[in-house]
Amino acid sequence: MAFRKKDRNESSTDQFPVNSAGGSVVAIDDSKKGDPQRSDDSAPAGFSTQPSSASSSGSSEPRGVRLGEQLIGSNLITEAQLEQALEMQRDSGGRLGEVLVSLGALSEQALAHALAAFFGFDVANLRRDVVDPSVLGFLPEDVAREHMAFPVRLTDEGLFVAVAEPSEELRALLAQASGKTVKLLIAPLGDIRWAIDSNYRAIGSVESLVRVFESVEGSRRRSVDASETEIVADDAPVVQVVDRILTQAMRDRASDVHIEPADDIVRVRFRIDGALKEILQLPAAIGPGLVSRIKIMANMNIVERRRPQDGQLTITIDGKEVDVRVATVATIMGESCVMRLLDKTRSVLRLNDLGMPLDTHAAYSKIVRAPFGMVLCAGPTGSGKTTTLYATLSEVNNSTLNVMTIEDPVEYVFPSINQIQTNEQAGLTFATGLRSILRQDPDVILVGEIRDVETTRVAVQSALTGHFVVSSLHATDSVSALHRFLDMGIESFLIASSVLAVVGQRLLRRICPSCKSTYTPTDEELVFYQESGGSPKDVFYQGTGCNFCTNTGYKDRIGIYELLVMTPELRRLVVGWATQEELRNMAVKQGMRTLRQEAINLVSQDITSISEVIRSVYTL
């Protein structure tokens, strides 16, 4: 069943304010917007006008030129960059500032301060300023998103609204939409977009939907089957609750959504930057309906509640196409559901974008160009293994090679690569698919995940018979990945002969740049830092929490990698069934930096914190 996104006009909270004549106050005459006949002189002092159609056909906007001259005078851009931006603006339109940012000529923050100085406005610090939730009601969400405007505060002077680039036309439109006198502030476009996503919560109306659900359930008792039919109807409250949960998860950059039943509630949690955060508590009665709705969307069996099930669906949220992997399992409290969100519009990273140190990147790039053998990416769930595999493919793929993959599911589509989706119902598993790939004359094979002995044996045989194989494996680090192969029953001499290298990896949360501040580590943290070989330093940093990082102190993540290269000495140890400690000592002796060492190096560079390293990669 297709994902149904609720129309904004269906909710009373999303309606525009209505004037006394009964019409919408934002029914603006679009013919005046960017009117080519409107000269720049008609704008009041301190405002710029939108680029006109005349400017896009060859003549540049006077204020845009003067802004460009100020940016040059402030040494923020060069004359060549301004000429390039003006030419691009004539071809495709848009504001000069946005064009300069898209070219990488300057940052959004630098542009905001330059615009503030140029127009004489204040800069709004949306990352730090406390936003009054009551002012959000003055500017409807669709108006805010369309014009990238965010209401900050309401005073006796009027409603202060943060915008990326001011204009008199925009101020008038916002005043008409809000019914208030509008005072403009300037903020970076990215901060405005983030503020809108963070404050206009898609789950804000879930409470009213739950009340509707409870009133229906309380007034009419139905059988289990009839109740399920009502619950998953297109206009049912449960449908809208699922819609809002998924929408909010995407806006919060969540990688996973957990719907977990408890005694008298259903917990909804998002995994953001690798850490779970509770978002909602819903009444227990709505839990089965939520899971049933998700099952229908993923073409799963809604009647079967005892057996674990897996499914997949594709939806569109805020204009982005998203793949969702669904997994359900029966717990003692009811059926639990976990959804993994995969943004299909996100571009695949190149190998040099992963964050590997230069020497590690150089060694790995050399290894993955081998004509045959096996390279493994090892780590727990959510450690970025798939991202590394795809980056590796993008590095080795060219028109002279036949690159084939077997995946579950296919997360990113490469136009020049033959990708196969497993289908257990049709008998297409990793092992059977890998055997069929060997009859397709492949040069490079990607196995999405090595899960069982049969797949492992076929992959090892493929690497030994002249194919280059890359795959992921669930293991704690690079050394334990080799022992997992041994535990699966693969002969040690076959492992030593086929494996070229193993990459162990983790993802650590970065300290939020907006609230980064110094602090004094605890004695335990200092001992851990020193024992891990950290560089001597007097000042340590952590995030204190702000709007930008949802008061967690962390924003985004960075990868850490340990590269174990199979040298002759290590091969002999593997054949002799050496212990993990012996293998690790030999690898470190030959130059491998462990995950712990790489993580501590990031602490030395003030990228992450000691507590985050202890949380993610601490080993005894």
Side-chain angles (χ1 to χ4, degrees), residues 36-106:
Q37 302 300 321
R38 180 178 178 178
S39 69
D40 184 64
D41 293 333
S42 64
F47 290 90
S48 68
T49 57
Q50 299 280 354
S52 67
S53 58
S55 68
S56 63
S57 62
S59 62
S60 62
E61 182 182 341
R63 283 192 185 275
V65 174
R66 292 203 296 273
L67 172 62
E69 291 173 352
Q70 175 163 326
L71 293 174
I72 292 174
S74 302
N75 294 321
L76 293 174
I77 62 172
T78 64
E79 291 187 10
Q81 289 172 327
L82 176 60
E83 288 298 327
Q84 183 183 4
L86 289 172
E87 183 179 349
M88 182 177 292
Q89 186 187 34
R90 285 192 292 269
D91 293 338
S92 57
R95 296 182 175 91
L96 178 64
E98 293 178 8
V99 175
L100 286 167
V101 171
S102 68
L103 290 173
L106 74 169

Side-chain angles (χ1 to χ4, degrees), residues 177-190:
S178 63
K180 299 288 183 182
T181 301
V182 168
K183 302 289 185 180
L184 295 182
L185 302 170
I186 292 181
L189 181 61

Side-chain angles (χ1 to χ4, degrees), residues 67 70 110-124 164 166 186:
L67 172 62
Q70 175 163 326
L111 174 63
H113 284 85
L115 287 171
F118 182 69
F119 292 118
F121 290 136
D122 292 332
V123 177
I186 292 181

Side-chain angles (χ1 to χ4, degrees), residues 203 205-218 221 224 227-228 230-233 235-245 258-268 280-295 305 333-337 339:
I203 57 176
S205 58
V206 165
E207 186 177 346
S208 61
L209 293 171
V210 170
R211 286 198 297 268
V212 173
F213 170 82
E214 290 178 326
S215 66
V216 171
E217 288 296 297
R221 297 294 181 182
V224 173
S227 134
E228 283 184 356
E230 178 67 21
I231 283 172
V232 296
D235 58 349
V238 171
V239 174
Q240 300 176 39
V241 171
V242 172
D243 180 343
R244 282 159 170 73
I245 288 173
H258 292 241
I259 299 177
E260 304 161 335
D263 278 331
D264 53 354
I265 60 168
V266 173
R267 287 196 306 172
V268 178
L280 280 174
Q281 285 192 359
L282 302 174
I286 203 173
L290 290 177
V291 176
S292 293
R293 168 60 181 168
I294 295 167
K295 281 183 173 181
R305 289 176 172 160
M333 296 296 179
E335 203 167 10
S336 175
C337 176
M339 295 177 283

Side-chain angles (χ1 to χ4, degrees), residues 346-354 387-388 390-392 394 414:
R346 188 179 63 185
S347 60
V348 177
L349 294 176
R350 300 285 299 180
L351 199 55
N352 55 1
D353 297 328
L354 293 179
T387 300
T388 302
Y390 277 109
T392 302
S394 66
F414 284 82

